Structures are given as structure tokens and as C-alpha cells.
Amino acid sequence: MKMKSQATMICCLVFFLSTECSHYRSKIHLKAGDKLQSPEGKPKTGRIQEKCEGPCISSSNCSQPCAKDFHGEIGFTCNQKKWQKSAETCTSLSVEKLFKDSTGASRLSVAAPSIPLHILDFRAPETIESVAQGIRKNCPLDYACITDMVKSSETTSGNIAFIVELLKNISTDLSDNVTQEKMKSYSEVANHILDTAAISNWAFIPNKNASSDLLQSVNLFARQLHIHNNSENIVNELFIQTKGFHINHNTSEKSLNFSMSMNNTTEDILGMVQIPRQELRKLWPNASQAISIAFPTLGAILREAHLQNVSLPRRVNGLVLSVVLPERLQEIILTFEKINKTRNARAQCVGWHSKKRRWDEKACQMMLDIRSEVKCRCNYTSVVMSFSILMSPKSMTDKVLDYITCIGLSVSILSLVLCLIIEATVWSRVVVTEISYMRHVCIVNIAVSLLTANVWFIIGSHFNIKAQDYNMCVAVTFFSHFFYLSLFFWMLFKALLIIYGILVIFRRMMKSRMMVIGFAIGYGCPLIIAVTTVAITEPENGYMRPEACWLNWDNTKALLAFAIPALVIVAVNLIVVLVVAVNTQRPSIGSSKSQDVVTIMRISKNVAILTPLLGLTWGFGIATLIEGTSLTFHIIFALLNAFQGFFILLFGTIMDHKIRDALRMRMSSLKGKSRAAENASLGPTNGSKLMNRQG
């Protein structure tokens, strides 16, 4: 009867593994010479055959035995004429080894090593249903008898699956009286398979629910933990930390702070659990306890169950924080530091639903999302005890801004080209005085600078940053920086010309001197700033951003070499616009309301014309730099600056009555020439016809 039940269980397991392994195909290639890493980071060889015997036919499978001292199999799948590792059950752990001093431990093993299985019908790690008996007999107080053996084992896929089952059975059968000593030993075992060196091997475990089982087991075990003192720190392992404290309805707002590293080389990632005061008032007078567990690497391991209309896997961008609270508490506030802090790394607050085995967006609400951290308000239930933040797919907000930028740049480029064509057409008719000459020189150079900068911006935004393209990306960043600065400095020179025209009436500067000053300001100053910036920051590879061809901010603050000159010029040009507005207002004695209206209209027209020409629309950029700024400012900034080329064409060219008059004269002149040419072509024909009639 016992053998029959064992055979039935093995058959069920074979069916489950075959369906699971056929549904999930690992895409990790195992190339010749690949080596596996031990927990200490030292490569260990000889456990895995480098490839299968026989030809590699598409979608075919094969298996290889594990090396000596390991039992199980390694499965390979043929993909694109190469054998790729798809699953592994190599394990060196067993109940016998965990309790080798215990009599009769060998009888606890169920799986028979002699049973041959097909490639996808991998034998599961030895069942450890009776491991509770071994622990009760050898180390009932602290579980220390199993930690040394587990920590000395390799983190193969088979060993990881074995340890997950071990922890699962402990949390089920031995959680009646969990002390802090037991929690520490339990966490040491979990910490071993949460090591960064073990992450890649989780992908080859046939049971794809292993990661979810681990999280649920840890939460279940922590739920039975009893805190006997006021100590906050309970477990302080590298990849799992546990903290807790006593609470009651009179407790003020409480928080638990975590600081954990993803590995030994990166900076710590922070997380915080807060229990609001209004929630604590729900507690009974007698003391309760709150416990929280933090995992820095579990987010990279958790496998979600497949769900329609959801692209998997969804990347976790912070710590995974589990909480164990009294039943009356339902709402908590969680703060997560982002792992990826790039500006476009939007976050999504989620809770892990233990029954659905996936992240649930409905469990949390976003309170704050800035560049470095996210604050979430989450609902705690018996099935949602763990929380984190996901890297949200590109939001509708980002898409709207992208569409605005794309359409605006296209319209601007066409408008600037048309502006330059019009200027070339009417140039000789509109550059009559020195001031008008320099005014049109400014408009032409503003248009050329913005047109060139937009082209480099488009090149940079579609540039694929790779190691071999690094120098090209530096060049794109340099020219984008230079021409955007040229745009601002030519707008500054135009503002200075306006002030010069208002204040200086009788003395006029020579045209040649104006040209020298204009080009020195318009191109000389930007060149000095751009060259100095790249010379200072590039030796340390801090000139551009790692994710885009634009000036770096996080490391060297190279972006200040653009932001400071641009904002100073915007401030100066704003003063110029105010001077023009004041100068436009000419009050007269006994002026009527209609004259006041005309004055207001004239001031408004001048301000509207000068705003895009002097770059005042870039002032909205200050608001977008502030974290947590409303979406409205981002949309306004995108609209005004993406369409700046169109505004230059409209206010700088089309609305200038002198240019319109020159265009009419040019068009009438062209019409007159075309008529004269037509008459000239018709003249000889008519004359020959007349001679023929007379003849």
C-alpha cells in the first residue's frame, strides 16, 4: 500500500513537471566552458555536461546526469541548432545528510534514485515531510542542526528546491512556538538561497511556484513569532532582515527602517514601514506586536502566474517588504527607495497576492513618486502581506509627451526651413538699416541654431548606446549642447539689440562691429562652455548619461553647463521684455478708454512676439525640474518648446509687415517677369502669322 502511494505521487509529479517545463522555456544558453558559481563566488566545474550527445534538432530534448555526489538530471532543449539548458534537479542535500547522526534517517527518503525518467520528467528533490521529526529530535530549540549543512551546500537548482521544501515544511509543522532563536536559524537557511550568486539558478527549478512558496513560508513562520523584549532587530542577514516591536492603541505612529544592499558592491537600498496613528487606535488595550521582513533580492526571483493582457516578467524596482500585523490593522504606509533612479523609471505600488501568485495593483495606492523614492498606501490582508514597487511600463503620460515632442519637432523643423527660405527671398528688401540688418541676422542664426539642435536631438534620442558607439554618443551630446547654447546666446544678443535700439538714439555702431560682437556672443561663448565641459568631465567618463546621449547629472552635474547659462539668459530676456512693455506704454493727458485698449493690445502683441524669439518659454523648464511637479507644467513646457520653430516663423517672420510687403513685391515681380516672358515667347509667332497674311 505504501509503495502504491509512492508510485502514485511520482506519476503526479511527472505529469506536473512535464506540463510546467513545456510551458516555461528558459532562454539562458549554456555554452561550452560555462562554469557555475559557488555561494562564495568561486567557480565549480564538473557538475554539468557541456552539451548533449547526438544531433540538435529543433524543439528536441535530452538529459544528462549530474556529476558525482549529486543526484538528479539536467535537461536541455534544442533551440536554433544549439542545446540550451532548460531545467535541473541536481541536488546534494538529503534528509540523511541533514540528520546523519539520527538513527533510521534513511527511511525518511521517498524518491528512489534508480527510477529512470524522461528528459522533462525530472525526479523531484527528496520529499522532506518527516523533517520535523529530525528537528524535534536533534535541535528543537533553535534548528541549528540543519544550518551548517545547508550553508555549506552549493546553490544548485535542485538544492534550492530542496531548501524551499525544507522551509515550507518547517513553517507548516514546527511553527507552534517560534522564538527569536528559531527565526534566526530559519532566516540563515533562507538567506543562503536568496544570495545574488543563486539568482540565476532559480530559473531552472521545474516548480515555477518555488519562489512564491518561499515567500509564503517565511511570512507564515514570522506570523507565529513571539517578541519577548523590546529589541527591534531580530534578524540581520545580508539578504533577509527582520524587525519588530510591541504596539497598542496608545502607541504613537511607529515605523521600521531597513537599509539593505543588493550585493557587496552597490549602495544600500532603503525601505520603511509606517503604521499610521489612526490605525493604531483600532487596537485593543492589551499589547500586540508588529513584524516586518525585508528582502533585497527576492524581487528578482519571484515568478508571477501568467495573466492575460499583462506582459511578464514585471521588474521589481525596490525592496520586497513583508509585514505581520494584528488583524484589526488594515492600512500601512510604505516608502521604497528606487533601485533604478532614472527620470523615466515610473513606479507602480503593488502587493503580492499569495493565492493568485502575482502582484496585485489594487492592493496599494500611490502617494508620492519622485526620482529617488516612492511612497505607497497599502491594504494589509491575510493573503496580501508583502509589498514592493514595479517598474511601470511607459505610462499614458509619457506617451502623450512623446507624441507632443515628435509632432512639435516635425512642425518646427519644417517651419524653420520655411523661415530661412523666406529670409533668403526678401533679404535684400528688408535689410535697409544697421538695426534691421542685425535683427534679421539674429533671426537667421536663431533659426539655424534651433534647426541644427533639433536635428542633433533627434539623432541622440534614436541613438542606441553601445560600447563601440560611445565616442559617437559623446559627439552627439557635444553638438546638441553647443547648438542649444548657441540658440540661447543668439536670443540674448537679440535682446541686447532691442535695448540698444531703445536707449541709443543718436549714436549708432558700425555694422561690422555689430557682426563681430554678435558672432562672438552667439557662437564663441557656447563653444567655450561646451569645450570646457567636455574637457573637465569626459576624462572620468562623466560627460554624458549612461542611458542617453545628453549631459550627465547624477555623477558630474555636467547638465549645469547648459541649465545655468540658459536660465540666466531667460532671466535677462524677461527683463528686456518688461522694459519693452513699459516703453510701449505712452500715456497722454486726457487719453480715452479706447486709447488704453489700443495700448494694452500693442503691449500684448510685443510680448507675444518677443516671448518665443527670446526663449522665455524655456522658463517653464524650471517647474519641470522640481520633483513632484504637476503634469500640466510638463505638457505646457513640451508644447511651447517643441513648437518653438513654428512660433519663430509666425512671430518673427510672418507677422512682420515689412517681410509681408517684401514678399508681395517679390511675388508681383515674379508674376511680371513670367508675363513678360510669356509675351516674348508669343511675340515672334504672332509676327510671323501677320507676315504670312500680308503675303
Side-chain angles (χ1 to χ4, degrees):
M1 185 69 182
K2 184 176 181 180
M3 292 297 295
K4 184 177 180 181
S5 62
Q6 290 177 355
T8 303
M9 186 171 70
I10 291 174
C11 290
C12 294
L13 181 63
V14 166
F15 174 77
F16 173 75
L17 293 181
S18 62
T19 55
E20 281 292 302
C21 291
S22 62
H23 190 65
Y24 299 100
R25 293 294 186 206
S26 172
K27 297 184 179 179
I28 298 179
H29 292 257
L30 183 71
K31 299 183 287 245
D34 279 1
K35 298 179 180 180
L36 291 165
Q37 299 291 322
S38 69
E40 294 78 23
K42 297 178 181 178
K44 294 190 177 183
T45 59
R47 191 175 77 246
I48 293 179
Q49 290 282 352
E50 293 178 350
K51 60 180 180 180
C52 290
E53 300 292 337
C56 180
I57 302 173
S58 180
S59 299
S60 61
N61 304 307
C62 79
S63 63
Q64 291 291 335
C66 301
K68 186 179 179 181
D69 299 329
F70 289 86
H71 55 86
E73 290 178 325
I74 308 106
F76 296 88
T77 301
C78 183
N79 187 15
Q80 297 180 353
K81 298 182 179 180
K82 291 183 179 180
W83 288 112
Q84 299 177 8
K85 182 180 173 183
S86 57
E88 177 201 323
T89 58
C90 295
T91 177
S92 61
L93 293 173
S94 64
V95 176
E96 292 93 330
K97 289 186 178 181
L98 287 177
F99 308 107
K100 55 186 175 182
D101 295 332
S102 176
T103 58
S106 60
R107 292 196 299 270
L108 302 176
S109 177
V110 173
S114 60
I115 298 176
L117 297 176
H118 186 262
I119 168 60
L120 291 180
D121 301 337
F122 296 111
R123 185 173 62 258
E126 294 177 318
T127 56
I128 49 178
E129 295 173 335
S130 301
V131 71
Q133 299 174 11
I135 291 178
R136 287 193 181 103
K137 183 176 180 180
N138 292 276
C139 49
L141 297 180
D142 57 3
Y143 307 163
C145 58
I146 64 172
T147 56
D148 291 339
M149 178 61 67
V150 169
K151 290 166 67 176
S152 63
S153 65
E154 282 192 60
T155 51
T156 63
S157 301
N159 280 344
I160 292 173
F162 183 96
I163 295 169
V164 169
E165 286 298 316
L166 173 69
L167 295 172
K168 185 176 178 181
N169 282 300
I170 291 175
S171 63
T172 303
D173 301 332
L174 298 173
S175 59
D176 50 348
N177 183 26
V178 179
T179 63
Q180 294 189 23
E181 289 73 20
K182 292 179 181 179
M183 190 69 197
K184 289 178 181 178
S185 297
Y186 190 93
S187 300
E188 285 182 34
V189 175
N191 183 75
H192 181 63
I193 57 176
L194 290 170
D195 194 300
T196 51
I199 291 177
S200 60
N201 292 333
W202 280 84
F204 304 116
I205 300 176
N207 179 15
K208 301 308 175 184
N209 294 327
S211 56
S212 178
D213 290 341
L214 172 64
L215 177 59
Q216 191 170 356
S217 299
V218 174
N219 290 343
L220 179 62
F221 194 73
R223 184 180 286 178
Q224 304 301 323
L225 174 63
H226 298 286
I227 304 175
H228 297 295
N229 53 41
N230 294 323
S231 177
E232 183 178 297
N233 296 314
I234 301 170
V235 175
N236 192 22
E237 295 292 328
L238 190 58
F239 302 105
I240 178 171
Q241 288 183 5
T242 304
K243 297 184 179 183
F245 48 66
H246 292 285
I247 54 175
N248 56 53
H249 73 291
N250 292 323
T251 307
S252 59
E253 184 172 290
K254 279 285 196 176
S255 64
L256 292 168
N257 296 283
F258 295 93
S259 178
M260 305 184 74
S261 175
M262 302 299 292
N263 52 57
N264 292 328
T265 59
T266 59
E267 295 182 357
D268 285 359
I269 301 298
L270 305 179
M272 183 170 64
V273 180
Q274 292 177 283
I275 305 176
R277 182 71 186 91
Q278 61 269 22
E279 286 293 307
L280 291 169
R281 290 197 185 102
K282 299 178 182 178
L283 294 174
W284 298 110
N286 55 317
S288 302
Q289 62 182 23
I291 300 169
S292 183
I293 312 166
F295 308 88
T297 57
L298 185 60
I301 296 170
L302 275 173
R303 286 264 187 121
E304 289 191 82
H306 274 260
L307 188 67
Q308 289 184 348
N309 303 323
V310 176
S311 59
L312 299 177
R314 296 186 286 180
R315 290 178 56 191
V316 174
N317 199 26
L319 298 177
V320 175
L321 296 176
S322 292
V323 291
V324 177
L325 301 174
E327 292 182 358
R328 297 179 67 86
L329 300 187
Q330 297 178 343
E331 187 177 278
I332 54 173
I333 296 175
L334 301 157
T335 303
F336 299 93
E337 181 182 0
K338 293 181 181 179
I339 298 172
N340 183 348
K341 296 182 176 65
T342 56
R343 183 167 288 277
N344 58 351
R346 303 279 180 178
Q348 187 174 27
C349 299
V350 289
W352 182 262
H353 199 291
S354 58
K355 290 187 177 180
K356 297 179 180 178
R357 298 183 185 272
R358 61 178 176 84
W359 293 112
D360 187 0
E361 300 87 351
K362 297 179 181 178
C364 298
Q365 290 182 340
M366 178 79 67
M367 296 179 64
L368 177 68
D369 182 5
I370 58 178
R371 185 171 185 178
S372 59
E373 69 178 30
V374 177
K375 183 174 285 189
C376 310
R377 178 181 283 109
C378 300
N379 294 320
Y380 168 82
T381 65
S382 59
V383 293
V384 182
M385 300 172 60
S386 304
F387 308 90
S388 189
I389 54 172
L390 302 179
M391 290 232 356
S392 178
K394 207 160 195 181
S395 63
M396 185 59 66
T397 299
D398 295 327
K399 292 180 180 179
V400 168
L401 294 176
D402 285 347
Y403 286 139
I404 292 173
T405 302
C406 183
I407 296 172
L409 286 177
S410 302
V411 173
S412 286
I413 289 174
L414 293 175
S415 300
L416 292 169
V417 171
L418 183 59
C419 176
L420 293 174
I421 293 173
I422 293 174
E423 287 289 341
T425 303
V426 302
W427 184 264
S428 59
R429 297 179 182 274
V430 295
V431 290
V432 181
T433 64
E434 289 84 353
I435 292 295
S436 63
Y437 181 86
M438 291 308 302
R439 175 179 174 275
H440 286 279
V441 166
C442 286
I443 291 178
V444 168
N445 282 281
I446 288 172
V448 168
S449 298
L450 182 56
L451 176 62
T452 313
N454 285 344
V455 171
W456 281 111
F457 175 82
I458 293 173
I459 294 173
S461 62
H462 291 83
F463 203 84
N464 188 16
I465 303 177
K466 297 177 182 177
Q468 62 268 28
D469 296 327
Y470 178 82
N471 292 332
M472 183 61 186
C473 193
V474 170
V476 171
T477 304
F478 174 82
F479 285 113
S480 298
H481 184 202
F482 171 72
F483 282 106
Y484 274 119
L485 281 179
S486 297
L487 168 67
F488 278 95
F489 276 94
W490 274 108
M491 290 188 296
L492 173 64
F493 183 66
K494 180 172 177 59
L496 296 177
L497 275 180
I498 293 173
I499 291 294
Y500 177 77
I502 292 174
L503 300 181
V504 181
I505 300 175
F506 300 104
R507 292 187 60 185
R508 294 296 182 187
M509 194 182 299
M510 293 178 60
K511 184 192 300 183
S512 59
R513 185 176 295 179
M514 286 185 178
M515 288 288 288
V516 170
I517 296 174
F519 278 85
I521 293 176
Y523 294 117
C525 293
L527 183 62
I528 292 172
I529 295 173
V531 170
T532 303
T533 304
V534 73
I536 293 174
T537 58
E538 182 52 30
E540 300 177 358
N541 293 330
Y543 180 58
M544 65 179 192
R545 303 183 181 194
E547 75 279 1
C549 295
W550 185 233
L551 298 172
N552 188 293
W553 172 255
D554 294 327
N555 300 326
T556 60
K557 300 294 187 289
L559 183 61
L560 292 176
F562 170 74
I564 292 176
L567 294 178
V568 170
I569 290 172
V570 168
V572 172
N573 290 359
L574 178 61
I575 295 173
V576 172
V577 171
L578 294 177
V579 171
V580 171
V582 171
N583 189 72
T584 304
Q585 185 180 5
R586 297 171 183 172
S588 57
I589 299 174
S591 59
S592 61
K593 290 185 178 180
S594 60
Q595 290 175 330
D596 292 339
V597 172
V598 171
T599 301
I600 293 172
M601 291 295 294
R602 186 165 59 244
I603 293 173
S604 301
K605 180 181 177 182
N606 289 337
V607 171
I609 291 174
L610 292 176
T611 295
L613 293 178
L614 299 185
L616 300 187
T617 55
W618 287 80
F620 284 94
I622 300 174
T624 62
L625 292 175
I626 302 172
E627 294 185 351
T629 304
S630 171
L631 173 63
T632 305
F633 285 99
H634 289 274
I635 294 178
I636 293 174
F637 180 71
L639 282 171
L640 292 178
N641 291 285
F643 287 90
Q644 188 176 8
F646 171 74
F647 294 140
I648 289 174
L649 171 66
L650 177 64
F651 295 115
T653 303
I654 295 177
M655 291 187 65
D656 190 334
H657 68 90
K658 293 182 179 179
I659 292 180
R660 293 201 302 270
D661 294 341
L663 278 175
R664 287 196 207 92
M665 294 177 63
R666 181 67 174 171
M667 295 299 294
S668 61
S669 175
L670 290 175
K671 288 181 181 179
K673 288 182 180 180
S674 63
R675 287 175 182 173
E678 185 181 351
N679 292 334
S681 62
L682 292 175
T685 305
N686 293 336
S688 61
K689 288 181 180 180
L690 182 61
M691 292 294 294
N692 291 334
R693 286 179 182 178
Q694 289 178 351

